[in-house]
């Protein structure tokens, strides 16, 4: 960029800094800014449009358009050239605006007189805040240098907007992070909770976007970059126990940190008057916008790498974020995403979790369910909007989050929490009673677990035992394979905490969405149907045998119940069971006591196993239906895909008929059958399963009370009649008929 242009750009920022420093309300500052830019850019028009809500832009200041249009002219996202600039987050630069694609004539502004148009998005870290526009009567395209100058100014406007420099009357000039905000996400763990925001990664604020000493800022920037490179090199040198994928990620970090083009762009920004921090954020925002539009999924994923490095660089420059501070009262963790190890470090002090990303099968979801705390995932943009200490309401039943709620919403939410608390008191009164229906059918309700922290819920929930203990969590939260002695100690504590109640240990279920960081990843197009669960165990028998031996030693001569995940055919079950015999022989040789009794089951998670030979149902001690996986394979609907996973109903008669087939085959062989998963913990679904013939259900601890409450108030014969009538009426699902009938019974 020519030195003369750099000087002009720096002059503009210097004038902008003085204009912003002058006393006055937010509107006065905006008015001074547009006048200054129009004069410096030698354009007849300069206007600033800011968002008044998520979908509407409002003209907040102008030099050149009709003054009466300010705060009156509004447009939807994507509407007109301004709306298109905001939606695409790209510069629109045209010499013939009235004939440009998307142009919309706004009569009240008088803009039809102007041919040239240049719109620059005002954005901060991927969050669009508005649009900066300049217009001229002469038909011309603005030069690359002029566009660059406008982008620098837009960056400053974004930072000043974030800092509340333009606060005034009206929705568009409301102070940032003050308005109530609603976020719609996805349900990962039910429950309702009120608390205060605790950000997993503390926000870094740039309080000095403009500099009057570029030379010293360049030194600060280069020193910070050198510190960043040293940090990355230290991370790379400490790669013991990391797999190839993790090493590749760090190599990508090194590539970014040593990118000369990245540094040159930031140096140019500083030379033009931005502070080092503002230069980092400017390039981060622009690169984010470019990468988010990339056709390659790999390039889009690099946004996280860029964000992490940029944030590290900002923390070095500002010194912010090093100490996250103590947890507030009733903390609700808000994060982009989080791993199981990081989540476990917080412990049970958390009252709820909200993630921008995540999935229903993620490790964080598994831990949240184990802790029985509400979790909402896919709550887009909440990290950018939330501040530490903000009031927040998490409705895990609906997948909704209220940030800084008003009194009306807060009052209604508190009523909901009070009703749930009253219901829990009712459930506590029947905790020690059996789930005995009016027709005399005794349904055994067990709980799912995966952490030692879950076991206190066994007594408090009234569960008869642990129908599923997920052993993979102890593998997932580590950065290396646990030792056999560590597993023996853990399993011993689990059995001791169960106090004689039955615990069904599921052997290692990894693969698909559960990836061990220390095992070489497999690049599979469809991991849910790939190398996972028992397939990994049979291909790596050393790991399976180690776990089987650990379980036998933990039993210490007492009873042991275990089951293999993802069995699809008889041969797999026989091969897996043969590993048990090998482990028993090895333990006998070593002089360790063998279990007094050993139940060996299989999880039915694919339709194929329902059609296995009779020999399978005769040889297996029990069958546990893994509802989540079984549904996704039955309906060919990826459970991680929000577009399709909710389209199919567990209580559709096609799926219920399939379950009835499994019930019949188990009854014929005299084999115990249970249903395990989220659906078993929902009262309507649990009622239907019991009516089909399931005598054993396993669910999260918090669901035991509600399910038992419903079962004790119904006659399963009545439920079957309701289901038969719905089928006869042509209903595709039993859900509505059973739910309507149940509403009059409890």
């Amino acid at each position: 960029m020519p030195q003369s242009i750099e000087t002009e750009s720096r002059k503009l920022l210097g004038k902008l800094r003085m204009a912003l420093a002058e006393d006055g309300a937010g509107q006065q500052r905006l008015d001074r800014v547009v006048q200054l830019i129009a004069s410096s850019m030698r354009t007849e028009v300069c206007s600033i449009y800011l968002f008044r809500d998520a979908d509407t832009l409002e003209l907040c200041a102008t030099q050149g358009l009709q003054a009466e249009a300010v705060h009156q002219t509004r447009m939807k996202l994507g509407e007109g050239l301004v709306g298109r600039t905001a939606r695409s987050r790209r510069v629109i630069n045209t010499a013939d605006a009235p004939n440009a694609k998307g142009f919309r004539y706004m009569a009240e502004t008088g803009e039809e007189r102007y041919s040239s148009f240049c719109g620059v998005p005002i954005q901060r870290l991927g969050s669009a805040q508005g649009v900066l526009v300049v217009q001229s009567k002469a038909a011309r395209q603005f030069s690359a240098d002029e566009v660059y100058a406008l982008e620098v100014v837009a960056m400053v406007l974004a930072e000043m907007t974030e800092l509340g420099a333009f606060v005034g009357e009206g929705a568009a000039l409301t102070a940032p992070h003050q308005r109530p905000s609603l976020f719609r996400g996805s349900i990962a763990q039910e429950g309702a909770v009120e608390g205060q925001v605790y950000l997993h990664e503390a926000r870094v604020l740039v309080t000095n976007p403009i500099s009057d000493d570029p030379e010293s800022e360049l030194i600060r920037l280069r020193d910070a970059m050198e510190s960043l490179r040293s940090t990355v090199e230290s991370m790379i040198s400490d790669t013991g126990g990391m797999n190839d994928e993790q090493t590749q990620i760090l190599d990508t970090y090194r590539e970014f940190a040593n990118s000369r083009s990245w540094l040159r762009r930031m140096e140019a920004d500083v030379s033009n008057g931005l502070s080092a921090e503002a230069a980092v954020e400017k390039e981060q925002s622009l690169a984010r916008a470019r990468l988010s539009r990339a056709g390659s999924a790999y390039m889009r994923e690099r946004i996280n790498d860029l964000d992490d490095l940029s944030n590290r660089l900002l923390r070095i420059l500002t010194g912010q974020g090093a100490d996250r501070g103590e947890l507030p009262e009733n903390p609700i963790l808000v994060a982009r995403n989080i791993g199981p190890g990081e989540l476990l470090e917080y412990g049970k002090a958390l009252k709820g979790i909200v993630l921008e990303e995540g999935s229903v099968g993620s490790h964080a979801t598994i831990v949240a369910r184990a802790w029985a705390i509400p979790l909402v995932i896919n709550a887009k943009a909440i990290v950018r909007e939330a501040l530490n200490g903000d009031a927040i309401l998490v409705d895990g039943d609906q997948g909704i989050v209220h940030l800084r709620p008003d009194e009306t919403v807060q009052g209604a939410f508190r009523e909901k929490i009070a009703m749930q608390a009253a219901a829990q008191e009712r459930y506590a009164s029947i905790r020690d009673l059996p789930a005995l229906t009016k027709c005399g059918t005794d349904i055994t309700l067990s709980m799912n677990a995966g952490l030692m922290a879950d076991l206190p819920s066994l007594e408090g929930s009234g569960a008869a035992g642990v129908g599923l203990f997920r052993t993979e969590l102890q593998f997932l939260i580590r950065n290396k394979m646990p030792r056999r002695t560590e597993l023996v100690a853990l399993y011993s504590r689990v059995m001791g905490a169960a106090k004689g109640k039955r615990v069904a240990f599921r052997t290692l279920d990894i693969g698909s969405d559960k990836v061990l960081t220390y095992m070489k990843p497999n690049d599979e197009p469809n991991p849910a149907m790939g190398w996972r669960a028992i397939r990994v165990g049979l291909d790596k028998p050393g790991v399976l045998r180690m776990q089987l031996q650990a379980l036998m030693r933990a039993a210490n001569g007492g009873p042991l119940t275990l089951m293999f995940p993802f069995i699809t055919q008889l041969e797999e079950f026989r091969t897996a069971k043969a590993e048990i015999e090998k482990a028993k022989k090895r333990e006998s040789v070593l002089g360790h006591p063998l279990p007094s009794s050993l139940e060996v089951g299989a999880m039915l998670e694919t339709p194929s196993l329902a059609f296995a030979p009779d020999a399978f149902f005769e040889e297996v001690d029990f069958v546990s239906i893994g509802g989540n996986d079984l549904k996704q394979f039955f309906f060919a609907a990826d459970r991680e895909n929000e577009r399709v996973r909710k389209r199919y109903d567990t209580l559709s008669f096609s799926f219920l008929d399939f379950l009835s087939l499994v019930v019949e085959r188990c009854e014929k062989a005299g084999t115990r059958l249970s249903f395990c998963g989220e659906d078993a913990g929902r009262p309507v679904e649990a009622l239907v399963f019991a009516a089909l013939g399931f005598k054993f259900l396993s669910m999260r601890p918090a669901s035991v009370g509600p399910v038992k409450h419903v079962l004790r108030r119904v006659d399963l014969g009545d439920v079957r009649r309701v289901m038969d009538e719905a089928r006869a009426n042509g209903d595709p699902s039993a859900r509505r008929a059973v739910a309507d009938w149940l509403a009059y019974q409890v």
Side-chain angles (χ1 to χ4, degrees):
M1 183 176 291
Q3 186 63 38
S4 62
I5 295 296
E6 292 182 7
T7 302
E8 289 302 317
S9 177
R10 194 183 303 168
K11 285 181 180 178
L12 173 56
L13 283 181
K15 294 176 183 177
L16 187 59
R17 182 179 190 174
M18 288 188 290
L20 291 171
E22 292 179 19
D23 291 335
Q27 185 64 57
Q28 290 174 301
R29 285 197 180 100
L30 281 174
D31 292 340
R32 287 198 295 264
V33 166
V34 293
Q35 292 166 12
L36 175 61
I37 296 173
S39 173
S40 298
M41 298 292 295
R42 299 179 179 86
T43 61
E44 287 91 351
V45 175
C46 176
S47 305
I48 293 176
Y49 296 80
L50 297 176
F51 279 99
R52 60 177 286 112
D53 57 46
D55 300 310
T56 311
L57 287 153
E58 181 176 304
L59 176 63
C60 290
T62 186
Q63 171 67 31
L65 298 183
Q66 299 293 343
E68 296 79 10
V70 173
H71 297 304
Q72 300 302 313
T73 295
R74 296 169 186 168
M75 58 199 69
K76 291 294 183 182
L77 189 65
E79 182 181 9
L81 297 182
V82 175
R84 286 183 59 215
T85 301
R87 183 173 63 184
S88 66
R89 296 186 219 170
R90 295 185 183 183
V91 173
I92 293 182
N93 183 7
T94 176
D96 187 10
N99 292 311
K101 179 182 178 182
F103 176 81
R104 183 180 173 220
Y105 172 55
M106 310 291 283
E108 70 274 18
T109 65
E111 65 180 339
E112 73 280 2
R113 296 170 290 170
Y114 305 103
S115 296
S116 302
F117 175 97
C118 184
V120 177
I122 301 171
Q123 58 184 334
R124 183 178 185 274
L125 306 182
S127 176
Q129 294 171 317
V131 178
L132 172 63
V133 176
V134 291
Q135 295 170 274
S136 294
K137 290 180 179 178
R140 71 181 184 92
Q141 275 204 320
F142 291 88
S143 69
D145 292 330
E146 289 173 314
V147 171
Y148 176 83
L150 288 171
E151 287 180 330
V152 171
V153 171
M155 165 66 202
V156 173
L157 293 177
E159 290 300 332
M160 299 310 293
T161 300
E162 177 72 13
L163 293 171
F166 307 126
V167 174
E169 295 183 5
L173 298 185
T174 300
H177 311 295
Q178 299 295 318
R179 286 179 289 188
S181 298
L182 171 68
F183 298 87
R184 296 187 183 277
S186 303
I187 302 168
Q189 170 63 26
E190 295 90 345
V193 66
E194 177 180 7
Q196 298 179 61
V197 167
Y198 185 76
L199 292 170
H200 180 53
E201 293 183 347
R203 178 186 300 275
V204 176
L205 289 177
V206 177
T207 57
N208 57 333
I210 303 172
S211 168
D212 55 4
D213 187 357
E215 292 305 318
S216 64
E217 288 300 299
L218 283 172
I219 293 172
R220 289 182 65 235
L221 176 64
R222 290 164 184 162
D223 287 347
M225 282 295 294
E226 188 59 37
S227 178
L228 176 66
R229 293 188 188 110
S230 297
T231 300
V232 172
E233 290 301 327
S234 297
M235 292 166 65
I236 291 174
S237 65
D238 187 24
T239 55
M242 291 191 180
N243 61 33
D244 291 343
E245 184 180 36
Q246 290 175 302
T247 304
Q248 288 171 8
I249 290 172
L250 290 180
D251 285 340
T252 301
Y253 276 29
R254 173 193 272 161
E255 184 179 339
F256 270 127
N258 289 280
S259 170
R260 297 185 67 180
S261 61
W262 184 32
L263 179 58
R264 278 198 301 269
R265 288 194 299 271
M266 291 189 290
E267 287 176 336
D269 295 332
V270 170
S271 296
N272 282 299
L274 289 182
S275 67
E277 294 90 334
V280 174
E281 279 212 349
K282 174 179 176 290
E283 295 307 320
Q284 184 181 4
S285 294
L286 292 176
R288 246 185 159 278
R290 287 195 302 271
L291 290 172
S292 65
R293 296 191 296 266
S296 164
Y298 172 83
M299 292 304 295
R300 290 195 299 271
E301 289 170 3
R302 297 288 69 78
I303 291 176
N304 291 338
D305 299 335
L306 172 71
D307 279 346
D308 185 46
L309 278 181
S310 297
N311 291 337
R312 287 174 184 269
L313 188 54
L314 285 170
R315 284 193 285 270
I316 292 170
L317 285 165
T318 65
Q320 298 176 29
D323 182 9
R324 292 186 298 194
E326 295 183 359
L327 290 174
E329 186 178 359
N330 297 320
I332 307 294
L333 185 68
V334 175
R336 187 178 69 212
N337 214 337
I338 191 169
E342 293 174 300
L343 185 53
L344 288 169
E345 286 179 5
Y346 284 102
K348 282 192 163 184
L350 297 178
K351 301 303 179 184
I353 306 170
V354 182
L355 301 179
E356 281 197 1
E357 300 172 4
S359 65
V360 293
S362 70
H363 311 146
T365 302
I366 293 171
V367 173
R369 286 175 181 159
W371 288 347
I373 58 175
L375 168 62
V376 173
I377 58 176
N378 300 319
K380 301 303 181 186
I382 191 168
V383 170
R384 293 194 296 268
E385 180 60 29
L387 295 178
N388 275 326
D390 275 347
I392 186 171
L393 309 176
V394 181
D395 189 342
D397 302 320
Q398 303 294 324
I400 292 174
V401 179
H402 298 275
L403 187 64
R404 299 182 290 270
D406 59 31
E407 291 183 0
T408 303
V409 172
Q410 202 169 44
F413 196 82
R414 285 174 178 170
E415 287 183 10
K416 176 176 181 174
I417 292 176
M419 290 176 63
Q420 290 184 344
Q424 288 299 327
E425 289 182 11
R426 292 199 303 271
Y427 304 148
S429 68
I430 60 172
R431 182 188 63 189
D432 299 324
L433 300 178
L436 188 67
T437 65
K438 284 187 174 181
C439 57
T441 305
D442 193 354
I443 308 297
T444 300
L445 304 182
S446 298
M447 60 171 265
N448 300 330
L451 300 166
M452 268 303 299
D454 300 332
L455 272 299
S457 299
L458 183 56
E459 183 175 352
S461 67
V466 179
L468 165 65
F469 190 91
R470 303 179 180 92
T471 61
E472 62 271 10
L473 282 181
Q474 298 307 315
F475 289 75
L476 288 167
I477 62 177
R478 297 168 178 262
N479 57 16
K480 62 181 180 180
M481 185 75 70
R483 292 191 294 269
R484 183 186 289 107
T485 53
E486 293 173 323
L487 295 179
V488 172
L490 169 68
Y491 301 151
S492 296
R493 291 198 302 272
V494 171
M495 294 179 192
K499 298 179 180 178
K501 291 185 177 180
R502 180 179 183 268
V503 180
F505 291 91
R506 181 176 69 187
T507 61
L508 191 58
D509 185 6
I510 58 170
S512 185
D513 57 338
K514 307 186 193 88
V515 181
L516 299 183
T517 59
Y518 44 87
M519 285 184 66
K520 183 178 180 180
N522 287 279
D523 186 13
E524 297 181 300
N526 191 345
M529 300 177 69
W531 195 60
R532 55 172 294 197
I534 195 59
R535 296 170 179 175
V536 176
L538 296 181
D539 288 351
K540 289 187 172 292
V543 176
L544 178 60
R545 284 176 208 156
M546 178 189 73
Q547 189 178 26
L548 292 174
Q549 286 179 294
L551 285 165
M552 290 180 187
R553 292 180 194 180
N556 195 28
L560 175 63
T561 301
L562 58 86
M563 58 182 171
F564 297 115
F566 211 63
I567 295 291
T568 62
Q569 54 185 352
L570 173 60
E571 289 79 3
E572 283 178 335
F573 178 72
R574 285 176 171 171
T575 305
K577 197 169 181 181
E579 292 298 330
I580 294 179
E581 295 305 314
K582 294 177 184 177
K584 286 172 64 177
K585 288 180 181 178
R586 178 65 177 165
E587 290 301 287
S588 181
V589 169
L590 293 173
H592 295 139
L594 297 179
S596 58
S597 64
L598 180 57
E599 282 187 286
V600 182
M603 295 204 73
L604 192 155
E605 298 169 278
T606 63
S608 65
L609 194 59
F611 301 96
D614 290 340
F616 166 74
F617 292 95
E618 293 165 358
E619 294 176 23
V620 71
D621 292 322
F622 65 95
V623 172
S624 181
I625 287 182
N628 297 334
D629 264 328
L630 181 59
K631 278 197 302 181
Q632 81 167 338
F633 294 125
F634 184 85
F635 291 113
D638 184 356
R639 65 175 182 164
E640 304 298 340
N641 187 332
E642 292 298 320
R643 288 184 176 180
V644 299
R645 80 178 184 92
K646 294 181 180 179
R647 296 176 65 171
Y648 302 99
D649 189 357
T650 306
L651 301 187
S652 68
F653 283 114
S654 59
F655 190 63
L656 295 182
D657 287 345
F658 175 79
L659 293 180
S660 294
L661 169 66
V662 179
V663 171
E664 291 171 8
R665 298 209 65 185
C666 286
E667 286 180 346
K668 179 182 177 182
T671 301
R672 171 175 171 153
L673 173 66
S674 66
F675 193 106
C676 176
E678 297 172 53
D679 291 319
R682 298 188 175 112
V684 174
E685 282 87 336
L687 191 58
V688 172
F689 295 156
L692 290 180
F694 284 88
K695 302 293 195 305
F696 302 88
L697 302 175
S698 189
M699 62 202 69
R700 64 189 180 98
S703 296
V704 173
V707 170
K708 183 184 292 187
H709 174 76
V710 168
L711 288 171
R712 288 178 56 83
R713 280 163 172 73
V714 300
D715 184 316
L716 295 180
D718 293 336
V719 179
R720 295 186 192 99
R721 281 191 289 274
V722 172
M723 293 167 61
D724 290 342
E725 289 174 5
R727 187 192 296 269
N729 291 334
D731 291 352
S733 167
R735 181 174 302 280
R736 185 174 64 181
V738 174
D740 289 348
W741 174 83
L742 185 60
Y744 293 99
Q745 309 302 312
V746 295

